[in-house]
């Protein structure tokens, strides 16, 4: 995996394995512009929503052995986005890191709480029984939702609690979670001039 800082709070990350090839560019101070191509259409849709609602500019180009399963490509893309976010200069510090947001999509409602803490952790729950078995968009299984969040939060070094509060349609349930996470991230990465160079932790370091 290779990483490159691009100035400001921008980074470029590439990950190549025998199972997939992933290129990511992101800008934490963007406007929500995205160019997404992972060869998994529903995942493209979710990453577009993540960018749009977080205002993080995101370019993703990924290919992989989707003729076997989408798992490798989806997982490696989430890892690469997470690593890219962690690599952005100023990703930690100078902002209030703990933020929460609710997001609805029709009958579905999700809540996300994030802490840009340098201590990766995920708590994920509330999906209705059987959600993990649904095939959404012909490619993306419901079980991949949690796996995306696990891969993203671990490699971005953030703590996230994501919970589905209500929902019936499998598509809506997934998208509400991505929207809630995006909205929480949108505020968590904003700089706060009152912080100066302080690290937002009683430990004094992250």
């Amino acid at each position: 995996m290779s990483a490159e800082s691009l100035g400001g709070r921008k980074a470029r990350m590439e990950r190549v394995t025998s199972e997939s090839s992933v290129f990511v560019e992101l800008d934490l101070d963007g406007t929500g512009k995205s160019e997404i191509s992972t060869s998994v259409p529903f995942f493209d849709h979710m990453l577009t929503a993540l960018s749009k609602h977080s205002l993080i500019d995101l370019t993703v180009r990924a290919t992989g052995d989707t003729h076997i399963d989408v798992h490798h490509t989806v997982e490696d893309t989430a890892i690469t986005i997470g690593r890219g976010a962690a690599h952005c200069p100023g990703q930690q510090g100078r902002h209030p890191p703990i933020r929460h947001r609710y997001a609805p999509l029709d009958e579905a409602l999700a809540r996300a709480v994030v802490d840009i803490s340098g201590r990766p952790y995920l708590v994920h729950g509330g999906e209705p029984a059987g959600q993990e078995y649904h095939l959404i968009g012909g490619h993306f299984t419901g079980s991949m939702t949690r796996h995306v969040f696990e891969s993203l939060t671990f490699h971005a070094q953030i703590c996230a609690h994501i919970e589905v509060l209500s929902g019936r349609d499998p598509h809506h349930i997934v998208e509400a979670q991505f929207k809630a996470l995006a909205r929480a991230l949108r505020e968590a990465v904003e700089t706060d001039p009152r912080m100066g160079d302080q690290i937002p932790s009683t430990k004094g370091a992250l």
Side-chain angles (χ1 to χ4, degrees), residues 10-92:
K10 303 177 185 178
R12 175 182 296 136
M13 184 73 58
E14 292 186 73
R15 175 182 171 88
V16 179
T17 73
S18 62
E19 298 168 337
S20 70
S21 176
V22 184
F23 170 89
V24 167
E25 279 190 2
L26 51 82
D27 181 359
L28 299 184
D29 296 314
T31 58
K33 294 183 295 185
S34 64
E35 295 181 18
I36 312 293
S37 177
T38 69
S39 71
V40 183
F42 184 73
F43 191 41
D44 289 356
H45 181 43
M46 293 302 97
L47 293 180
T48 300
L50 182 70
S51 171
K52 185 72 172 180
H53 290 280
S54 68
L55 297 183
I56 297 172
D57 288 350
L58 186 61
T59 298
V60 177
R61 294 193 291 271
T63 58
D65 55 1
T66 54
H67 60 287
I68 297 173
D69 191 357
V70 304
H71 185 109
H72 298 145
T73 301
V74 171
E75 176 185 49
D76 288 347
T77 299
I79 289 171
T80 309
I81 293 171
R83 289 275 184 92
H87 195 74
C88 285
Q91 185 257 9
Q92 296 177 347

Side-chain angles (χ1 to χ4, degrees), residues 49-180:
L50 182 70
S51 171
K52 185 72 172 180
H53 290 280
S54 68
L55 297 183
I56 297 172
D57 288 350
L58 186 61
T59 298
V60 177
R61 294 193 291 271
T63 58
D65 55 1
T66 54
H67 60 287
I68 297 173
D69 191 357
V70 304
H71 185 109
H72 298 145
T73 301
V74 171
E75 176 185 49
D76 288 347
T77 299
I79 289 171
T80 309
I81 293 171
R83 289 275 184 92
H87 195 74
C88 285
Q91 185 257 9
Q92 296 177 347
R94 294 186 59 82
H95 52 78
I98 303 173
R99 283 292 181 260
H100 77 277
R101 273 290 174 260
Y102 293 83
L105 183 58
D106 295 346
E107 86 297 344
L109 178 65
R111 175 179 59 215
V113 185
V114 300
D115 183 5
I116 310 293
S117 62
R119 295 165 59 90
Y121 204 91
L122 174 70
V123 176
H124 177 257
E127 290 184 340
Q131 171 71 13
E132 66 270 30
Y133 303 119
H134 281 287
L135 188 61
I136 307 169
H139 298 84
F140 189 95
T141 54
S143 62
M144 289 305 301
T145 305
R146 178 187 177 91
H147 196 50
V148 168
F149 295 149
E150 286 173 334
S151 300
L152 181 63
T153 55
F154 181 82
H155 291 278
Q157 298 185 335
I158 66 177
C159 174
H161 288 238
I162 303 170
E163 184 178 9
V164 176
L165 302 178
S166 64
R168 181 184 66 254
D169 182 272
H171 179 145
H172 294 172
I173 289 167
V174 178
E175 189 166 352
Q177 293 177 76
F178 272 85
K179 286 173 62 177

